[in-house]
Amino acid sequence: MRRQIAVVAMSAAALGVITAVASTAARPDDDPVRLTATPERVEVVGLPCLPSSFQLGMTNVGSADLYADVELSAGGPVELERGLMSSWLPAWDPDHTVTSRVGITVPRDAAPGSYDVRATTDGAEVTVPIEVLPQPPKGPGDNLALGEGATASSTHANFDVCGAADGNTSSADWDTLTGWNDATSRVFPDTYDIALAAPATVARVETWTLDSAQYPAARYGLRDFDVQVRVGGAWQTVHEVRGNTTGRVTSAFAPVTADAVRIVGLASNNGDYSRLVEVEVFSG
Ligand SMILES: [Ca+2]
Ligand SMILES: [Ca+2]
């Protein structure tokens, strides 16, 4: 038994020598960084609450620890969250990829088309095609709030204020941030505003509060809230909702020309937070 162990140990040592030699020969220490992007192609719309992003992967394939500075540049109307990504990249074996999110926006008037984002560092480069899509229609029957600028009295650190203006009404996606959750537990009121692109006729608001098998509205949804519209700089209440236990509340009211819509959360069913999955605004 003892002899077997000794044989195995010797084999491992011999293999180790061979591996070390092969590894040294294969490791390109002149250009030791590899860059990747996920996804390889990104779509973005020029609306304030429909930003986009990709994950930049940085891999040290050399044999020495290093600090990488990756420069980012964008063509056309594409705007990047930052122009430089710096990362400490230890020489892992096997190689280990460090990823970092790169946020992308384009202005509202960006011409649809394909533009490139380039990431470069010493000896390495990756190009990410950015497809700027046309604006979604905002005519009769369309959701006027889709992707428009959302602001709130507070937003829980785990959530994005744009979550209730991203076009996704599904509570099943709550855990992937398609909603807004305020940050002041057991303190009301909370407000959630969406500013429209321009004053428009508004006659119906659909308020989607949290309601899934895991998080039923009767327990986690907004119970009491006011729906308001902003007319001439002043907020007007168009619907008072009380005692709600459902996931979707329709507020229909006399058409009014407004430039923003607000949900005023007054109480939730379990008393802690105001939670909205989506707020939709229609002209009829
Ligand atoms: Ca949503
Ligand atoms: Ca609160």
Side-chain angles (χ1 to χ4, degrees):
M1 191 65 189
R2 200 170 286 167
R3 185 173 295 167
Q4 272 185 326
I5 291 169
V7 169
V8 170
M10 275 188 65
S11 299
L15 279 171
V17 171
I18 295 165
T19 305
V21 170
S23 172
T24 302
R27 289 194 165 263
D29 280 352
D30 290 343
D31 296 319
V33 179
R34 296 285 179 270
L35 297 178
T36 54
T38 309
E40 294 179 350
R41 180 177 169 280
V42 180
E43 294 183 341
V44 63
V45 179
L47 288 171
C49 263
L50 289 180
S52 197
S53 67
F54 66 90
Q55 293 286 336
L56 179 69
M58 296 163 281
T59 310
N60 179 1
V61 298
S63 55
D65 298 348
L66 59 83
Y67 197 85
D69 284 332
V70 180
E71 289 184 16
L72 295 151
S73 61
V78 177
E79 294 166 3
L80 299 171
E81 194 175 36
R82 46 185 153 171
L84 183 68
M85 194 80 76
S86 298
S87 184
W88 175 242
L89 301 176
W92 297 94
D93 188 14
D95 292 334
H96 175 74
T97 298
V98 174
T99 58
S100 196
R101 181 185 177 279
V102 179
I104 298 167
T105 56
V106 292
R108 187 181 291 272
D109 61 357
S114 190
Y115 307 91
D116 284 343
V117 166
R118 288 179 65 218
T120 59
T121 188
D122 291 341
E125 175 178 330
V126 65
T127 299
V128 190
I130 310 293
E131 194 70 32
V132 176
L133 302 180
Q135 292 275 330
K138 292 284 173 73
D142 298 315
N143 172 18
L144 303 175
L146 174 62
E148 300 297 349
T151 52
S153 52
S154 68
T155 299
H156 193 285
N158 292 349
F159 291 80
D160 188 313
V161 70
C162 285
D166 65 357
N168 186 349
T169 60
S170 174
S171 286
D173 296 334
W174 179 254
D175 290 335
T176 57
L177 305 185
T178 184
W180 166 76
N181 191 119
D182 83 283
T184 59
S185 180
R186 300 190 174 277
V187 177
F188 295 87
D190 304 301
T191 58
Y192 187 84
D193 301 359
I194 301 176
L196 305 182
T201 301
V202 174
R204 177 167 59 95
V205 172
E206 302 286 346
T207 306
W208 301 75
T209 189
L210 183 57
D211 185 31
S212 65
Q214 187 178 2
Y215 307 114
R219 181 165 181 196
Y220 293 98
L222 261 185
R223 187 188 73 194
D224 302 335
F225 59 96
D226 288 351
V227 178
Q228 298 185 335
V229 296
R230 191 172 62 195
V231 179
W235 292 104
Q236 301 178 0
T237 298
V238 290
H239 190 195
E240 294 183 353
V241 180
R242 299 294 182 266
N244 174 59
T245 56
T246 64
R248 176 184 183 175
V249 176
T250 298
S251 304
F253 43 91
V256 60
T257 301
D259 65 357
V261 170
R262 165 176 282 181
I263 305 298
V264 184
L266 301 170
S268 64
N269 279 309
N270 69 346
D272 58 3
Y273 290 111
S274 294
R275 299 182 181 88
L276 294 170
V277 174
E278 192 75 6
V279 177
E280 298 176 313
V281 178
F282 298 92
S283 60

